[in-house]
Amino acid sequence: MVLYRAQKMELHGRSVLVTGGASGMGFGFAKALLAEGAKVSIVDFNEEAGRATEKDLAEKYGSSNVIFCPCNVTSQEQFEEAFRRTRGVLGGPDIVVNNAGVGGETDDKWESVIDINLKGTLRGTRLALKYMSEAGGGSGGVIVNMASMAGVNPNPFAPVYGASKAGIIHATRSLAISPDVQKSGIRLNVMCPAFVDTPMFRNMASGDASQTSSSDQMAVKAFVDHIGVMSVDEVAAAFLDLVKDETRSGIILRCAKKTGIQYSTLSVQDV
């Protein structure tokens, strides 16, 4: 009898760029990667939080293993500079995690949701493909794009947020089956967590009216209670499994408190 053994990516010494890495899931991913011996570039718009995170993680994992790159993911110039600095200091990158994201359903916020979540992730993906390809001086690796279950299943209280995440899923699906990407040695996967206990979630759950399209906060609470809330550590554990398993490419990883961790392929259906 032949036993299946997954091919595991060794994370020790790998260079990782994580957007939105100063807090929430990005911070959880950074800690998990550093604990595995990786080197992490924390890319974040919030410079104060980013510097504090860099200091905190450097004290625990070593200053040579952590850097902070201030960056607004809506800026091509700033984002490319983050990639250049990451390569110059840490090498690679071997792994890119497009995690930066915001919520907002009101007239003054919804366009930023599209700009940061969807366009920012696409910008990061395009840069990752450039820097990780052999033509760009790279040696392959893995890109993980952070979407959401709100991009898979309709969320009646966050249609703009859901649309931004659905776009990430579709873009990742399309790139994963691209012949050029498949020849590049770059794996491309997408994570779709449901509610996770992050600052952004707590802001929404506390009643911030800008975060939902409904004024009925009792209905929002009932929706959250029905789905449940995962911890960052739970999502980070699933994230590590997805990154390490070199047999997984073109995968949607769904994470939810009640239904657990579910893998599904990014296969294309006939029309």
PDB file of all heavy atoms in Angstrom, residues 180-196:
ATOM      1  N   ASP A 180       0.957  30.799 -18.344  1.00  0.00           N
ATOM      2  CA  ASP A 180       2.193  31.476 -17.968  1.00  0.00           C
ATOM      3  C   ASP A 180       2.472  31.326 -16.477  1.00  0.00           C
ATOM      4  O   ASP A 180       3.614  31.106 -16.064  1.00  0.00           O
ATOM      5  CB  ASP A 180       2.120  32.968 -18.333  1.00  0.00           C
ATOM      6  CG  ASP A 180       2.210  33.203 -19.825  1.00  0.00           C
ATOM      7  OD1 ASP A 180       2.685  32.296 -20.546  1.00  0.00           O
ATOM      8  OD2 ASP A 180       1.798  34.289 -20.281  1.00  0.00           O
ATOM      9  N   VAL A 181       1.429  31.465 -15.659  1.00  0.00           N
ATOM     10  CA  VAL A 181       1.608  31.304 -14.217  1.00  0.00           C
ATOM     11  C   VAL A 181       1.949  29.861 -13.874  1.00  0.00           C
ATOM     12  O   VAL A 181       2.827  29.598 -13.040  1.00  0.00           O
ATOM     13  CB  VAL A 181       0.352  31.769 -13.453  1.00  0.00           C
ATOM     14  CG1 VAL A 181       0.468  31.432 -11.962  1.00  0.00           C
ATOM     15  CG2 VAL A 181       0.126  33.264 -13.630  1.00  0.00           C
ATOM     16  N   GLN A 182       1.291  28.928 -14.530  1.00  0.00           N
ATOM     17  CA  GLN A 182       1.538  27.517 -14.235  1.00  0.00           C
ATOM     18  C   GLN A 182       2.964  27.101 -14.586  1.00  0.00           C
ATOM     19  O   GLN A 182       3.504  26.172 -13.995  1.00  0.00           O
ATOM     20  CB  GLN A 182       0.520  26.654 -14.971  1.00  0.00           C
ATOM     21  CG  GLN A 182      -0.897  26.788 -14.414  1.00  0.00           C
ATOM     22  CD  GLN A 182      -1.920  25.944 -15.149  1.00  0.00           C
ATOM     23  OE1 GLN A 182      -1.720  25.573 -16.305  1.00  0.00           O
ATOM     24  NE2 GLN A 182      -3.021  25.647 -14.482  1.00  0.00           N
ATOM     25  N   LYS A 183       3.596  27.797 -15.543  1.00  0.00           N
ATOM     26  CA  LYS A 183       4.980  27.490 -15.908  1.00  0.00           C
ATOM     27  C   LYS A 183       5.994  28.225 -15.038  1.00  0.00           C
ATOM     28  O   LYS A 183       7.194  27.968 -15.134  1.00  0.00           O
ATOM     29  CB  LYS A 183       5.225  27.867 -17.382  1.00  0.00           C
ATOM     30  CG  LYS A 183       4.518  26.982 -18.390  1.00  0.00           C
ATOM     31  CD  LYS A 183       4.907  27.343 -19.809  1.00  0.00           C
ATOM     32  CE  LYS A 183       4.452  28.743 -20.203  1.00  0.00           C
ATOM     33  NZ  LYS A 183       4.726  29.049 -21.633  1.00  0.00           N
ATOM     34  N   SER A 184       5.517  29.144 -14.192  1.00  0.00           N
ATOM     35  CA  SER A 184       6.414  30.041 -13.471  1.00  0.00           C
ATOM     36  C   SER A 184       6.962  29.473 -12.172  1.00  0.00           C
ATOM     37  O   SER A 184       7.873  30.053 -11.575  1.00  0.00           O
ATOM     38  CB  SER A 184       5.682  31.352 -13.148  1.00  0.00           C
ATOM     39  OG  SER A 184       4.686  31.130 -12.151  1.00  0.00           O
ATOM     40  N   GLY A 185       6.381  28.370 -11.699  1.00  0.00           N
ATOM     41  CA  GLY A 185       6.788  27.836 -10.410  1.00  0.00           C
ATOM     42  C   GLY A 185       6.169  28.578  -9.242  1.00  0.00           C
ATOM     43  O   GLY A 185       6.610  28.441  -8.104  1.00  0.00           O
ATOM     44  N   ILE A 186       5.125  29.370  -9.528  1.00  0.00           N
ATOM     45  CA  ILE A 186       4.440  30.136  -8.486  1.00  0.00           C
ATOM     46  C   ILE A 186       3.075  29.517  -8.222  1.00  0.00           C
ATOM     47  O   ILE A 186       2.250  29.394  -9.129  1.00  0.00           O
ATOM     48  CB  ILE A 186       4.262  31.612  -8.900  1.00  0.00           C
ATOM     49  CG1 ILE A 186       5.633  32.252  -9.159  1.00  0.00           C
ATOM     50  CG2 ILE A 186       3.501  32.389  -7.820  1.00  0.00           C
ATOM     51  CD1 ILE A 186       5.550  33.630  -9.784  1.00  0.00           C
ATOM     52  N   ARG A 187       2.846  29.107  -6.984  1.00  0.00           N
ATOM     53  CA  ARG A 187       1.523  28.635  -6.588  1.00  0.00           C
ATOM     54  C   ARG A 187       0.660  29.829  -6.207  1.00  0.00           C
ATOM     55  O   ARG A 187       1.146  30.814  -5.666  1.00  0.00           O
ATOM     56  CB  ARG A 187       1.615  27.677  -5.398  1.00  0.00           C
ATOM     57  CG  ARG A 187       2.317  26.381  -5.708  1.00  0.00           C
ATOM     58  CD  ARG A 187       2.253  25.424  -4.535  1.00  0.00           C
ATOM     59  NE  ARG A 187       3.102  25.810  -3.426  1.00  0.00           N
ATOM     60  CZ  ARG A 187       2.693  25.985  -2.183  1.00  0.00           C
ATOM     61  NH1 ARG A 187       1.402  25.842  -1.868  1.00  0.00           N
ATOM     62  NH2 ARG A 187       3.532  26.326  -1.225  1.00  0.00           N
ATOM     63  N   LEU A 188      -0.619  29.717  -6.487  1.00  0.00           N
ATOM     64  CA  LEU A 188      -1.549  30.822  -6.224  1.00  0.00           C
ATOM     65  C   LEU A 188      -2.805  30.253  -5.579  1.00  0.00           C
ATOM     66  O   LEU A 188      -3.496  29.416  -6.174  1.00  0.00           O
ATOM     67  CB  LEU A 188      -1.922  31.503  -7.542  1.00  0.00           C
ATOM     68  CG  LEU A 188      -2.377  32.953  -7.457  1.00  0.00           C
ATOM     69  CD1 LEU A 188      -1.171  33.854  -7.243  1.00  0.00           C
ATOM     70  CD2 LEU A 188      -3.085  33.377  -8.732  1.00  0.00           C
ATOM     71  N   ASN A 189      -3.088  30.688  -4.336  1.00  0.00           N
ATOM     72  CA  ASN A 189      -4.249  30.206  -3.590  1.00  0.00           C
ATOM     73  C   ASN A 189      -4.985  31.372  -2.948  1.00  0.00           C
ATOM     74  O   ASN A 189      -4.449  32.480  -2.840  1.00  0.00           O
ATOM     75  CB  ASN A 189      -3.812  29.219  -2.512  1.00  0.00           C
ATOM     76  CG  ASN A 189      -3.194  27.957  -3.088  1.00  0.00           C
ATOM     77  OD1 ASN A 189      -3.779  27.302  -3.942  1.00  0.00           O
ATOM     78  ND2 ASN A 189      -1.997  27.607  -2.625  1.00  0.00           N
ATOM     79  N   VAL A 190      -6.208  31.103  -2.508  1.00  0.00           N
ATOM     80  CA  VAL A 190      -7.020  32.152  -1.884  1.00  0.00           C
ATOM     81  C   VAL A 190      -7.659  31.608  -0.611  1.00  0.00           C
ATOM     82  O   VAL A 190      -8.140  30.473  -0.581  1.00  0.00           O
ATOM     83  CB  VAL A 190      -8.084  32.701  -2.863  1.00  0.00           C
ATOM     84  CG1 VAL A 190      -9.043  31.625  -3.330  1.00  0.00           C
ATOM     85  CG2 VAL A 190      -8.838  33.869  -2.268  1.00  0.00           C
ATOM     86  N   MET A 191      -7.616  32.410   0.460  1.00  0.00           N
ATOM     87  CA  MET A 191      -8.256  32.044   1.718  1.00  0.00           C
ATOM     88  C   MET A 191      -9.547  32.821   1.888  1.00  0.00           C
ATOM     89  O   MET A 191      -9.600  34.023   1.597  1.00  0.00           O
ATOM     90  CB  MET A 191      -7.345  32.338   2.898  1.00  0.00           C
ATOM     91  CG  MET A 191      -6.209  31.360   3.061  1.00  0.00           C
ATOM     92  SD  MET A 191      -5.366  31.543   4.658  1.00  0.00           S
ATOM     93  CE  MET A 191      -6.603  30.857   5.786  1.00  0.00           C
ATOM     94  N   CYS A 192     -10.577  32.136   2.371  1.00  0.00           N
ATOM     95  CA  CYS A 192     -11.890  32.748   2.567  1.00  0.00           C
ATOM     96  C   CYS A 192     -12.384  32.487   3.983  1.00  0.00           C
ATOM     97  O   CYS A 192     -13.234  31.610   4.207  1.00  0.00           O
ATOM     98  CB  CYS A 192     -12.891  32.193   1.542  1.00  0.00           C
ATOM     99  SG  CYS A 192     -12.486  32.574  -0.158  1.00  0.00           S
ATOM    100  N   PRO A 193     -11.885  33.238   4.957  1.00  0.00           N
ATOM    101  CA  PRO A 193     -12.414  33.089   6.311  1.00  0.00           C
ATOM    102  C   PRO A 193     -13.762  33.768   6.466  1.00  0.00           C
ATOM    103  O   PRO A 193     -14.067  34.737   5.752  1.00  0.00           O
ATOM    104  CB  PRO A 193     -11.354  33.759   7.179  1.00  0.00           C
ATOM    105  CG  PRO A 193     -10.676  34.734   6.285  1.00  0.00           C
ATOM    106  CD  PRO A 193     -10.775  34.189   4.885  1.00  0.00           C
ATOM    107  N   ALA A 194     -14.563  33.265   7.372  1.00  0.00           N
ATOM    108  CA  ALA A 194     -15.796  33.965   7.748  1.00  0.00           C
ATOM    109  C   ALA A 194     -15.400  35.001   8.810  1.00  0.00           C
ATOM    110  O   ALA A 194     -14.340  35.608   8.721  1.00  0.00           O
ATOM    111  CB  ALA A 194     -16.836  32.974   8.253  1.00  0.00           C
ATOM    112  N   PHE A 195     -16.205  35.214   9.828  1.00  0.00           N
ATOM    113  CA  PHE A 195     -15.875  36.225  10.830  1.00  0.00           C
ATOM    114  C   PHE A 195     -14.674  35.787  11.671  1.00  0.00           C
ATOM    115  O   PHE A 195     -14.615  34.656  12.140  1.00  0.00           O
ATOM    116  CB  PHE A 195     -17.083  36.481  11.735  1.00  0.00           C
ATOM    117  CG  PHE A 195     -18.238  37.130  11.029  1.00  0.00           C
ATOM    118  CD1 PHE A 195     -19.464  36.486  10.934  1.00  0.00           C
ATOM    119  CD2 PHE A 195     -18.102  38.388  10.458  1.00  0.00           C
ATOM    120  CE1 PHE A 195     -20.532  37.074  10.284  1.00  0.00           C
ATOM    121  CE2 PHE A 195     -19.175  38.991   9.804  1.00  0.00           C
ATOM    122  CZ  PHE A 195     -20.387  38.340   9.709  1.00  0.00           C
ATOM    123  N   VAL A 196     -13.727  36.717  11.829  1.00  0.00           N
ATOM    124  CA  VAL A 196     -12.517  36.473  12.609  1.00  0.00           C
ATOM    125  C   VAL A 196     -12.366  37.606  13.621  1.00  0.00           C
ATOM    126  O   VAL A 196     -12.628  38.770  13.304  1.00  0.00           O
ATOM    127  CB  VAL A 196     -11.271  36.397  11.704  1.00  0.00           C
ATOM    128  CG1 VAL A 196     -10.026  36.045  12.519  1.00  0.00           C
ATOM    129  CG2 VAL A 196     -11.469  35.374  10.593  1.00  0.00           C
TER     130      VAL A 196
END
